[in-house]
Amino acid sequence: MATIGDVARHAGVSRSTVSYALSGKRSISESTRARIEEAIASLGFTAHAGARALATSQTMVIGLLTQFHQDEFAPAMLQYVLPVSDTARELGYDILLVTELDATAALRRVTSAGMVDGVVLLDVVHDDPRLETLRAAPQPGALVGLSRHTEGLDVFDLDFGEAARILVDHLFGLGHREIVVVSPPKHVFERGGAYGWRFRDAALERGARYGLQMHPYYGEAQQPAIGHSINAILDARPNATALIVHNDATIAALPSILAARGTRVPDALSVVSLYSKDFGRSFSLPYTAVESSPDQLGQQAVRQLVQRITAPELAGAPVTRFIAPELAIRGSTA
């Protein structure tokens, strides 16, 4: 493994000059910096993280706090982890993934110990207990998900209400008058998953505006409960002509459930949903859907956070930014 001394000899400079180039503590000429950068690239040198942290007071690490609940659909959460990780790496940061059950204590530990330069929170709930700790931390933070109180923090989320209205408008325009809405599981609502009721309530309000019969149901997160639930719902609503699914586990299982029932889409039932294009490809989903945009959310959250870390004077006041929903037509409605 190359050392700082190896870099200095290769570049024809002193060890201290290499250290200044890495830390930015003193200015050096462009020609000298170019020789040092060439030596670093040639030797594959990587600055020791501990030494870099001592020299610059930065760890070049972003904390990513989330929880993987056993009663939820893990592939759905991974959609948000990967864009955060990829964008951080692109910007020169590593990720410290923290998944402890006591999330508030974990957040306090990693921030008070100076283990990270900033924090991204996933799995944000309506009354999120982590926010008070994050506001008190010396490092900046960003949220992927809308909480009740967002003061002092950058927040990025999909406009779930508008996503629901777009789907109801689409079905209404095609002549549907009785629609089933399948939401996330009840425990997600009870935990404070505001995205669930933001979508459901907007869908029901839009349907009421049009005079539609709207039938809301909680969905399930695991098989065989998903299959039992969907079959029971469709049996109970034989006159419904359209199905709106806001539940990742349910929509992933829906093609096989409908095939087993002999229900043809869109001839017998129109289906619309909300999921990302990558998620749709992973599960071969053929449904018209609003793009959930986890890639955009992760990228925007990390870029804003890094700007707050490196140039807080340019970051401006905290922002709450919603991704505009976009409908992708895939032929599952008639």
Side-chain angles (χ1 to χ4, degrees):
M1 181 179 296
T3 66
I4 194 170
D6 297 328
V7 173
R9 284 189 293 274
H10 193 284
V13 298
S14 67
R15 291 170 59 95
S16 60
T17 301
V18 176
S19 179
Y20 295 147
L22 292 172
S23 68
K25 280 193 169 184
R26 293 188 185 179
S27 60
I28 59 175
S29 69
E30 288 301 319
S31 60
T32 300
R33 182 178 297 278
R35 293 204 310 275
I36 293 171
E37 290 176 351
E38 187 279 328
I40 289 171
S42 177
L43 297 172
F45 171 77
T46 302
H48 187 274
R52 180 178 59 199
L54 289 172
T56 66
S57 299
Q58 290 188 344
T59 64
M60 302 304 292
V61 175
I62 290 173
L64 177 58
L65 275 74
T66 189
Q67 291 185 356
F68 293 94
H69 300 286
Q70 292 184 350
D71 54 2
E72 289 187 358
F73 196 50
M77 181 57 69
L78 287 174
Q79 297 177 93
Y80 295 87
V81 172
L82 294 177
V84 170
S85 177
D86 290 346
T87 307
R89 184 170 61 250
E90 175 190 333
L91 298 177
Y93 287 78
D94 292 317
I95 286 291
L96 175 64
L97 180 61
V98 182
T99 60
E100 296 175 29
L101 291 179
D102 190 343
T104 301
L107 176 59
R108 186 178 298 112
R109 173 173 54 83
V110 300
T111 55
S112 63
M115 299 167 64
V116 298
D117 294 334
V119 176
V120 174
L121 298 189
L122 298 182
D123 197 32
V124 175
V125 296
H126 193 52
D127 289 303
D128 201 302
R130 301 170 294 180
L131 299 193
E132 183 177 350
T133 299
L134 184 56
R135 289 191 184 93
Q139 301 91 338
L143 280 58
V144 177
L146 181 66
S147 186
R148 183 203 297 264
H149 301 294
T150 62
E151 298 84 359
L153 299 168
D154 294 311
V155 180
F156 301 86
D157 205 359
L158 180 72
D159 189 339
F160 284 93
E162 183 62 14
R165 289 186 284 270
I166 286 173
L167 292 175
V168 173
D169 288 351
H170 176 68
L171 293 173
F172 175 74
L174 292 173
H176 295 276
R177 297 298 179 263
E178 185 170 352
I179 301 171
V180 168
V181 181
V182 177
S183 294
K186 186 177 182 180
H187 59 250
V188 171
F189 285 71
E190 293 171 343
R191 269 202 294 261
Y195 67 93
W197 67 69
R198 284 162 56 200
F199 183 97
R200 179 201 60 191
D201 293 353
L204 299 183
E205 289 169 5
R206 195 65 147 202
R209 175 180 173 183
Y210 291 140
L212 308 182
Q213 294 185 61
M214 304 290 290
H215 306 294
Y217 291 90
Y218 295 114
E220 298 290 342
Q222 295 178 342
Q223 290 283 33
I226 295 172
H228 297 329
S229 171
I230 291 299
N231 281 312
I233 290 170
L234 295 180
D235 288 343
R237 301 295 178 184
N239 295 324
T241 58
L243 179 65
I244 300 176
V245 181
H246 180 210
N247 183 311
D248 289 313
T250 295
I251 200 64
L254 192 63
S256 61
I257 295 171
L258 295 183
R261 287 179 63 91
T263 301
R264 298 185 62 182
V265 175
D267 299 340
L269 182 70
S270 288
V271 177
V272 296
S273 188
L274 171 72
Y275 54 78
S276 73
K277 56 184 180 298
D278 291 337
F279 185 88
R281 281 195 295 266
S282 296
F283 292 94
S284 301
L285 300 181
Y287 305 122
T288 290
V290 167
E291 168 63 44
S292 58
S293 303
D295 51 349
Q296 290 190 56
L297 292 170
Q299 291 166 12
Q300 291 190 20
V302 173
R303 292 187 186 281
Q304 179 74 2
L305 180 63
V306 169
Q307 187 170 53
R308 290 219 177 274
I309 294 168
T310 59
E313 69 282 359
L314 300 178
V319 301
T320 296
R321 188 172 299 154
F322 294 105
I323 300 293
E326 296 182 2
L327 183 65
I329 304 294
R330 299 189 178 97
S332 64
T333 56

